[in-house]
Amino acid sequence: MTIKRVTLLGADGELGPAILTALLAAAFEVTVLKRANSSSPDDYPSNVKVAKVDESFTVSDLVPILAGQDALVITIKGTQVDLQKRLADAAVAAGVQRLIPADFGSCDSASEHAQMLVPLFGAKTELRSYLTKLTHNHSGFSWTAVVGSHFFDWRAEFLHLYPKSCRADILGQEDVRSSYSTLSRVGEATAKVLSKLTETKNRVVYVQSFSVTQDQILKAFEKASGKKWEVQTFDPAEYEKTWVKERDDGDKEAIENLVFMLGALESDWTKKEDFAMKLLGLEDEDLDDVVGKCWEMWK
Ligand SMILES: NC(=O)c1ccc[n+]([C@@H]2O[C@H](COP(=O)([O-])OP(=O)(O)OC[C@H]3O[C@@H](n4cnc5c(N)ncnc54)[C@H](OP(=O)(O)O)[C@@H]3O)[C@@H](O)[C@H]2O)c1
């Protein structure tokens, strides 16, 4: 069982380009699947095929597109569960071996605490259950979720770093480490999963660029910028209480802040049984190197 042909849906999103780059670097034959009415340009490398589908994404439209494909990687918004279920149904009908869903989470979305704080995470569990059910009746079909915690080099504000004004928010638990992944690490891990099919079958793999404390991140940015940063420290329990209340009052920013907290304080994958760095042949990246590049992008 080997994977040669991979279809990627979501190549033009935030994560998609990093996955496309990694799949091509690993010499997979890639087809980008996109909506027929997509406004994203088709400016992919010349060895990438493009397949278009009506925006309704019906199973009957998808099956002929996925026929002959070995894997389907989905990098649309993780909340689009119904669409992903249709993609999974079509993948099964088309004989696709491995599906990697849009489950590239910031935290362990299945944990009780995470689901209590961010009810939307229930959707991820629902999709994993759906995929698992499909595997029971279709032995040729399998799935893997690649969870790398917070994307480190995506948006500074997402990590509560404000490089232009040399400021950072810290949730006051200085010695708590958490995993973080660069976009390229998530891409690389995704490509590795497709070459380790048996070991990664029907499970979550946790990966990282590094596992560090918020203080180590702050120090690395101070080193890269050559400046002392201004820090606002929050008590985690108070922070949680405040943003749960704001969430209940309908504040959209609340969910993002609660996800920030879960990623910064409850996502040390080195402690997880499913920590898969060794399995996938991946090594940690150097925090100072990555922060140096981020500082150049964000300063
Ligand atoms: N761990 C973290 O820190 C973190 C942070 C952000 C995201 N994520 C995860 O990364 C994954 C990808 O998220 P993302 O932010 O990269 O997604 P995104 O930017 O919203 O993805 C948009 C892409 O999906 C495509 N797409 C296809 N069908 C679509 C439809 N029906 N509706 C909307 N878009 C559709 C878009 O196509 P067009 O080009 O045609 O519009 C575009 O290529 C998700 O699992 C998400 O949870 C994780």
Side-chain angles (χ1 to χ4, degrees):
M1 214 170 59
T2 51
I3 300 283
K4 205 166 137 200
R5 285 180 285 270
V6 182
T7 288
L8 170 64
L9 173 66
D12 299 287
E14 306 287 350
L15 173 64
I19 301 238
L20 178 60
T21 301
L23 291 174
L24 293 173
F28 291 111
E29 289 175 25
V30 182
T31 299
V32 165
L33 174 60
K34 58 203 294 181
R35 299 179 277 189
N37 63 351
S38 170
S39 55
S40 305
D42 294 346
D43 55 357
Y44 313 106
S46 58
N47 54 345
V48 172
K49 294 191 186 120
V50 176
K52 304 243 172 155
V53 65
D54 185 83
E55 69 195 284
S56 55
F57 284 93
T58 62
V59 173
S60 55
D61 281 349
L62 286 164
V63 172
I65 292 171
L66 293 175
Q69 296 295 302
D70 303 313
L72 170 63
V73 180
I74 308 173
T75 58
I76 61 176
K77 285 266 175 282
T79 44
Q80 290 174 295
V81 171
D82 287 342
L83 173 49
Q84 294 194 74
K85 284 182 180 173
R86 290 204 298 284
L87 285 156
D89 289 343
V92 166
V96 170
Q97 296 175 50
R98 178 63 49 94
L99 186 145
I100 299 188
D103 192 351
F104 300 90
S106 274
C107 59
D108 178 358
S109 61
S111 90
E112 223 173 280
H113 191 216
Q115 297 224 350
M116 189 267 283
L117 295 182
V118 185
L120 280 176
F121 285 157
K124 296 195 180 208
T125 304
E126 182 192 335
L127 182 64
R128 286 182 197 173
S129 303
Y130 189 80
L131 296 175
T132 302
K133 221 183 256 171
L134 285 179
T135 65
H136 294 156
N137 298 326
H138 307 278
S139 58
F141 175 76
S142 53
W143 63 275
T144 312
V146 179
V147 177
S149 187
H150 281 330
F151 294 170
F152 193 85
D153 54 350
W154 176 45
R155 288 186 192 156
E157 314 78 55
F158 178 62
L159 300 178
H160 289 223
L161 301 168
Y162 309 97
K164 294 212 187 299
S165 50
C166 290
R167 289 187 300 112
D169 293 343
I170 300 262
L171 298 169
Q173 288 191 354
E174 282 168 15
D175 54 344
V176 173
R177 295 188 335 163
S178 248
S179 298
Y180 296 84
S181 288
T182 58
L183 292 162
S184 60
R185 169 48 45 94
V186 178
E188 199 182 5
T190 302
K192 293 271 188 191
V193 162
L194 297 179
S195 56
K196 296 253 181 203
L197 287 186
T198 310
E199 301 87 333
T200 59
K201 190 176 172 178
N202 302 332
R203 56 173 283 205
V204 180
V205 293
Y206 289 94
V207 296
Q208 67 177 23
S209 288
F210 31 69
S211 171
V212 291
T213 65
Q214 292 174 89
D215 197 50
Q216 285 174 302
I217 295 174
L218 172 69
K219 295 268 163 31
F221 273 97
E222 289 187 334
K223 188 172 159 193
S225 60
K227 287 186 191 136
K228 185 98 188 125
W229 283 34
E230 192 188 317
V231 175
Q232 189 168 9
T233 306
F234 296 88
D235 173 70
E238 280 303 315
Y239 190 88
E240 175 174 327
K241 211 162 111 193
T242 303
W243 289 108
V244 164
K245 182 175 179 315
E246 293 296 324
R247 178 201 70 191
D248 293 344
D249 289 346
D251 179 349
K252 292 234 165 65
E253 200 192 328
I255 292 291
E256 212 163 285
N257 287 337
L258 291 168
V259 172
F260 161 64
M261 186 186 79
L262 287 164
L265 297 181
E266 296 182 20
S267 301
D268 184 3
W269 300 159
T270 61
K271 295 181 178 153
K272 285 246 179 224
E273 202 181 312
D274 285 327
F275 185 52
M277 294 289 282
K278 214 181 201 170
L279 171 72
L280 298 177
L282 294 169
E283 300 270 342
D284 274 4
E285 296 186 68
D286 183 76
L287 176 65
D288 284 334
D289 282 355
V290 173
V291 166
K293 287 179 196 144
C294 290
W295 171 249
E296 288 307 315
M297 263 194 306
W298 293 336
K299 69 183 178 184

